[in-house]
Amino acid sequence: MLQRIITFFERYSFGVCTYLGERFNVSIAKIRLFFIYSSFLAVGFPLVFYFFAGIVLDFRNYIKRSRTRAVDM
């Protein structure tokens, strides 16, 4: 049951922690823990950053996909 929940969030999340972990060469689990702990301390502000970064990353991926489709034509 727990594995299904973890798989769901990893599949449908924005991938912000993964992107930051690969970009700065830091463990993804440490970044996730940072977001969780800082959300308690900063009363949810990191969650606003997480969603904003997720939207930006999703928009960047959308632009990259549309560019590759235009080049393939």
Side-chain angles (χ1 to χ4, degrees), residues 50-68:
Y50 184 87
F51 287 124
F52 179 72
I55 291 169
V56 169
L57 286 175
D58 192 38
F59 189 69
R60 286 179 61 191
N61 290 336
Y62 175 76
I63 290 174
K64 286 180 184 178
R65 280 184 274 148
S66 65
R67 282 185 184 170
T68 56

Side-chain angles (χ1 to χ4, degrees), residues 34-47:
F34 170 76
F35 274 112
I36 292 169
Y37 292 145
S38 61
S39 294
F40 287 119
L41 295 175
V43 191
F45 177 73
L47 292 177

Side-chain angles (χ1 to χ4, degrees), residues 2-73:
L2 182 63
Q3 187 62 32
R4 283 183 36 199
I5 294 171
I6 291 171
T7 304
F8 174 79
F9 281 112
E10 286 180 353
R11 181 177 296 153
Y12 294 111
S13 67
F14 294 115
V16 175
C17 294
T18 305
Y19 175 78
L20 291 174
E22 290 173 355
R23 178 92 175 170
F24 296 116
N25 199 19
V26 178
S27 171
I28 298 167
K30 289 181 182 180
I31 293 174
R32 287 181 181 153
L33 286 175
F34 170 76
F35 274 112
I36 292 169
Y37 292 145
S38 61
S39 294
F40 287 119
L41 295 175
V43 191
F45 177 73
L47 292 177
V48 173
F49 169 76
Y50 184 87
F51 287 124
F52 179 72
I55 291 169
V56 169
L57 286 175
D58 192 38
F59 189 69
R60 286 179 61 191
N61 290 336
Y62 175 76
I63 290 174
K64 286 180 184 178
R65 280 184 274 148
S66 65
R67 282 185 184 170
T68 56
R69 277 189 240 142
V71 172
D72 290 341
M73 291 182 166

